[in-house]
């Protein structure tokens, strides 16, 4: 696969100095322990490269699956955010993995000599997984009485809708009331994610916690107004050129007609890399209608040359996109606006300190 992307002249630059600066900004804002979330192949930026660089800069990692934990570079502790589904995963547990306990039934299946660290996940309203409010005391006592070697290392919850002030504050207060009796007993208490951490009110309400889980902040998806930088940029070079006479139709469906003699550049990027998609979320029908009208009236660009937008000819194909080469120098490197979370994770990563 890597060879294919070399042939496509497509790669992703990951700016390690920006990543380091984002970590520094977090440290300046708070002295809580940093749990670097590297699930989803480090949000598409390469779990091996990101964890190797962050190894001595954060307190521990968090992943979604055991398979991801096995790809983390180094021996830093790793919080497994998903609950125990397959008990086989803990028959021979990874020594540096912290497992999540999210229901009472699973405790009946765990071997009594299980000796890894665990964090208990509390459900404060997301209703997806978690120990119910009011049951933490029972679960803690059950672990203490039945698992002499298990290390109860933490308790956490997830703020799933930080745009709702009332709902989020209610979550934090529910969590606080539940964990308060254990603040001096259980070492790690956490509920703040990236968006929660950026909100001063939420951060103040969660002052009783001592860890933060950050993913979006690390990679620069959030916090630009507070100095956090996007740490990636996709680049591409032309793999082929094609001359088209004025009046000729181009591409699938013949929907584009050349207004003049045109030099077409072919880039090795297309639908499979999610060109034209982004991480924006939908709001409501009225918003989406306005957004669609706006996009219809204003041409959208996602390919740039020297910070100037480049015209896409027709629509991106499965694995190729055509651009207008008018005024573009030979061997130029294009900047491509795609999101790592959506893009093909196997695109070559180039880890660099050069942000220019």
């Amino acid at each position: 696969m890597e060879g294919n992307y070399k042939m496509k002249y497509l790669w992703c630059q990951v700016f390690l100095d920006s990543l380091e600066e984002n970590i520094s900004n977090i440290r300046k804002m708070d002295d809580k322990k940093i749990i670097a979330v590297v699930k989803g192949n480090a949000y598409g930026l390469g779990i091996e490269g990101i964890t190797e660089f962050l190894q001595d800069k954060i307190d521990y990692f968090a992943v979604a699956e055991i398979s991801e934990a096995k790809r983390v570079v180094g021996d830093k502790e790793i919080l497994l955010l998903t609950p125990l589904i397959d008990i086989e995963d803990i028959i021979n547990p990874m020594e540096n993995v912290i497992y999540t306990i999210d229901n009472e039934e699973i405790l009946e299946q765990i071997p009594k000599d299980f000796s890894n660290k665990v964090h208990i996940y509390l459900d404060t309203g997301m209703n997806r997984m978690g120990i119910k409010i009011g049951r933490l005391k029972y679960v803690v006592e059950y672990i203490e009485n039945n698992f002499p070697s298990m290390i109860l290392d933490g308790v956490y919850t997830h703020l799933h809708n930080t745009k709702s002030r009332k709902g989020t504050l209610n979550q934090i207060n529910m969590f606080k009331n539940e964990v308060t009796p254990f603040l001096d007993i259980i070492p790690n208490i956490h509920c703040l994610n990236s968006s929660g951490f950026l909100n001063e009110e939420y951060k103040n309400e969660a002052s009783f916690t001592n860890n933060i889980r950050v993913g979006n902040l690390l990679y620069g998806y959030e916090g630009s107004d507070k100095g956090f930088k996007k740490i990636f940029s996709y680049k591409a070079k032309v793999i082929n050129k094609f001359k088209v006479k004025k009046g000729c139709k181009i591409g699938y469906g013949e929907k584009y007609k050349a207004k003049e003699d045109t030099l077409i550049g072919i880039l090795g990027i297309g639908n499979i890399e999610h060109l034209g998609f982004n991480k924006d979320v939908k709001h409501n029908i009225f918003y989406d209608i306005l957004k669609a009208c706006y996009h219809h009236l204003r041409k959208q660009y996602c390919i740039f040359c020297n910070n100037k937008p480049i015209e896409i000819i027709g629509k991106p194909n499965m694995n190729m996109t055509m651009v207008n080469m008018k005024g573009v120098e030979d061997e130029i490197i294009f900047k491509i606006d795609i999101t790592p979370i959506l893009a093909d994770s196997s695109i070559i990563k180039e880890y660099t300190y050069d942000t220019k």
Side-chain angles (χ1 to χ4, degrees), residues 130-298:
I131 301 296
K132 295 297 183 182
I133 292 297
R135 297 292 293 175
L136 179 61
K137 184 175 184 294
Y138 169 82
V139 172
V140 170
E141 290 178 351
Y142 187 90
I143 290 174
E144 291 175 345
N145 294 332
N146 292 276
F147 299 93
S149 300
M150 183 183 290
I151 303 169
L152 183 47
D153 183 66
V155 182
Y156 70 105
T157 194
H158 184 53
L159 306 180
H160 62 281
N161 184 16
T162 54
K163 292 181 179 179
S164 169
R165 176 180 179 272
K166 181 179 178 181
T168 301
L169 291 176
N170 185 50
Q171 275 193 278
I172 294 173
N173 286 323
M174 274 197 293
F175 184 64
K176 180 179 181 180
N177 291 336
E178 195 79 351
V179 302
T180 292
F182 305 99
L183 292 181
D184 296 326
I185 301 171
I186 300 176
N188 297 294
I189 309 292
H190 47 108
C191 69
L192 290 175
N193 51 16
S194 292
S195 54
F197 181 72
L198 287 173
N199 186 299
E200 286 298 322
E201 185 176 18
Y202 299 162
K203 193 165 70 169
N204 290 336
E205 286 294 316
S207 60
F208 62 95
T209 64
N210 52 18
N211 291 228
I212 53 171
R213 301 187 307 274
V214 286
N216 285 332
L217 270 186
L218 288 183
Y219 313 117
Y221 285 115
E222 294 185 60
S224 61
D225 59 330
K226 295 189 177 181
F228 289 89
K229 296 180 178 179
K230 187 175 76 169
I231 74 164
F232 59 88
S233 179
Y234 284 85
K235 303 294 178 68
K237 293 173 66 175
V238 168
I239 61 174
N240 198 8
K241 296 177 183 178
F242 196 81
K243 293 180 180 179
V244 179
K245 292 290 186 180
K246 177 181 178 180
C248 290
K249 294 181 179 179
I250 306 170
Y252 283 113
E254 297 184 327
K255 294 183 177 180
Y256 187 96
K257 186 176 181 179
K259 298 176 182 178
E260 60 183 355
D261 289 352
T262 305
L263 179 61
I264 303 298
I266 312 298
L267 300 180
I269 182 172
N271 300 147
I272 59 174
E273 284 86 18
H274 281 75
L275 184 68
F277 293 79
N278 56 45
K279 194 173 176 286
D280 291 341
V281 295
K282 291 186 176 181
H283 297 73
N284 55 53
I285 293 176
F286 181 66
Y287 172 89
D288 291 335
I289 291 174
L290 288 177
K291 184 176 179 181
C293 292
Y294 173 77
H295 286 179
H296 177 73
L297 294 172
R298 180 180 182 273

